[in-house]
Amino acid sequence: MIERIDVGQAISLTELFTIGIGPSSSHTVGPMRAARDFAERAIAGGDMVGVLAELFGSLALTGRGHATDIAILLGLSGEAPETADPDRIAETVATIRERRGLQLGGSVPVPFVEETDLLFHKGRFLEGHANAVRFTATFADGRTEAAVYFSIGGGVILREGEPPLRVNFTLPHPFSSGEELLRIGEKTGLSIGQIVDRNELSWRPAAETDAFLDAVRGAMLDCIERGVKGEGILPGGLNVRRRARDLHNRLLARGPRSDPSAVFEWVSLWALAVNEENAAGGRVVTAPTNGAAGVLPAVLKYYEVFTAAPTRAGSRLLLTTAAAIGFLYKKRASISAAEMGCQGEVGVACSMAAAGLAAALGATNEQIENAAEIGMEHNLGLTCDPIGGLVQIPCIERNTMGAIKAINAAYLALHGDGRHIVSLDAVIETMRQTGEDMRSKYKETSLGGLAVNVVEC
């Protein structure tokens, strides 16, 4: 079943941070979940003889570059992004294409020919969201059943006609704005990260939340390690060479250095490694999306390697504080590039990471809110115009910029007293308005910007 939640209601850490595969949370993870959910429902409906998948909006325009076609094949075959083995995906897809059929839900054989059963309706948008997919099942008795799903960002999906799932409990400290967060902190004496911790107790015991956060941390750092070992050309046809391995070797060869630039080079390397791994279809953590998955891990690694006294509790605090900021963007705007442009992905990741790092370094709630605001303020208007519809150019390097900006924002806030002119709520609303005003060709369609002004290799 789909995990749906009304973004005006409570959001858990486990919804914001999910472990999946690249290259895109909205175009790969979301469609895979939608296809899997549809397959499970269709199997329960009777003897099936066929299934049709139709992509609309941004999914149609950039779906091939974002591996949406592969995600659909895997999801219909019963695969889930959390458990799919990246090393076996190519073999699974090749088998489906060779046999011109798949095992629906992993158990029911049905014919499936991509040329006729997986359609990209470029230029057609459905009401509800720019990322839409419609599935139609055909049964042996002649019946057909169809359903539309929207991939709304961060791997979250909604099935048309079904209301979002509402939680049946009240959080001890509900919040939907930065102002409310500050007010709760002032009233209770809790930090922003502690407010999230207390709310998470409504879902599970504290020890389970700590274990989840440690698993997220581990997955982020593992992704960095895999990324710095990867080599060769990224898939998709742009002939983009993986650079993290060579950069890593050069930095290691330098040995200990007092040159401050080395810090920024390491941070850039870590973000680069994650997003090259994402572009290659590897396992990443949505933070808050796949396209922006490198920012938070790079800043987390910076905290653990370069700051004076990092602790495991500090890493957890970094993640919970970052999550609180991510919740606000989900509730008050969007983390979908198809709605907001890249300001809704790398911009949000930068804002989250800035707040998280500030918290881990001992910032007050007011300084944390300031760091988050700075992190977004200087990403406003950032478009999403990937060349060839691939999450490669400018996406990979853009994560390195986001990580550096986040660290800068955190220290700027730490050197202040928390008082500032532009509030976090104001900058989130500005991002939302900017996203709505942004022309659709700059929102993950590859119809504008770099995508049309750079000749593909």
Side-chain angles (χ1 to χ4, degrees), residues 44-247:
D47 185 14
M48 282 190 58
V49 295
V51 61
L52 170 68
E54 300 172 273
L55 303 174
F56 300 87
S58 179
L59 293 184
L61 289 165
T62 62
R64 293 199 186 280
H66 286 64
T68 307
D69 48 348
I70 292 173
I72 295 294
L73 296 180
L74 294 173
L76 289 176
S77 302
E79 295 278 6
E82 297 83 359
T83 56
D85 183 355
D87 294 330
R88 298 190 60 186
I89 288 175
E91 178 185 350
T92 301
V93 172
T95 300
I96 292 171
R97 289 171 172 167
E98 178 182 349
R99 296 179 178 176
R100 299 169 75 83
L102 51 80
Q103 296 289 321
L104 194 70
S107 61
V108 179
V110 294
F112 195 90
V113 180
E114 285 186 73
E115 291 79 5
T116 56
D117 297 327
L118 179 54
L119 305 179
F120 289 73
H121 296 301
K122 295 184 177 182
R124 290 179 58 186
F125 289 77
L126 300 186
E127 291 186 9
H129 197 277
N131 295 330
V133 54
R134 181 170 62 210
F135 297 99
T136 304
T138 302
F139 296 91
D141 59 8
R143 288 180 299 116
T144 61
E145 292 183 6
V148 173
Y149 293 81
F150 301 110
S151 180
I152 64 174
V156 178
I157 56 173
L158 297 177
R159 182 178 166 113
E160 186 179 53
E162 292 189 358
L165 181 66
R166 287 179 174 270
V167 296
N168 57 2
F169 53 79
T170 301
L171 299 180
H173 304 296
F175 62 88
S176 58
S177 70
E179 182 182 358
E180 288 178 353
L181 264 178
L182 294 177
R183 192 161 57 242
I184 293 168
E186 183 177 0
K187 180 179 178 180
T188 63
L190 298 172
S191 71
I192 289 174
Q194 289 172 330
I195 292 170
V196 172
D197 282 334
R198 297 292 176 87
N199 285 343
E200 291 297 311
L201 288 172
S202 299
W203 277 283
R204 70 196 74 82
E208 291 184 16
T209 294
D210 285 347
F212 172 76
L213 290 169
D214 290 345
V216 167
R217 170 190 173 273
M220 288 180 170
L221 299 183
D222 286 347
C223 188
I224 290 175
E225 291 305 308
R226 290 195 307 272
V228 299
K229 295 175 183 176
E231 56 185 334
I233 304 298
L234 291 171
L238 284 183
N239 295 317
V240 174
R241 182 175 58 85
R242 295 181 70 146
R243 293 176 286 171
R245 180 187 175 98
D246 288 344
L247 176 56

Side-chain angles (χ1 to χ4, degrees), residues 243-322:
R243 293 176 286 171
R245 180 187 175 98
D246 288 344
L247 176 56
H248 184 239
N249 290 338
R250 287 196 296 272
L251 290 174
L252 289 176
R254 287 184 186 178
R257 290 186 53 163
S258 59
D259 182 354
S261 70
V263 175
F264 295 103
E265 290 185 85
W266 278 104
V267 172
S268 294
L269 163 67
W270 295 328
L272 192 78
V274 170
N275 282 85
E276 286 183 350
E277 190 67 12
N278 177 64
R283 192 167 302 287
V284 299
V285 179
T286 59
T289 65
N290 283 29
V295 176
L296 194 54
V299 174
L300 173 66
K301 184 90 169 175
Y302 166 83
Y303 165 71
E304 296 192 357
V305 172
F306 287 111
T307 63
T311 64
R312 181 59 61 88
S315 294
R316 292 172 184 155
L317 179 62
L318 189 155
L319 292 173
T320 54
T321 305

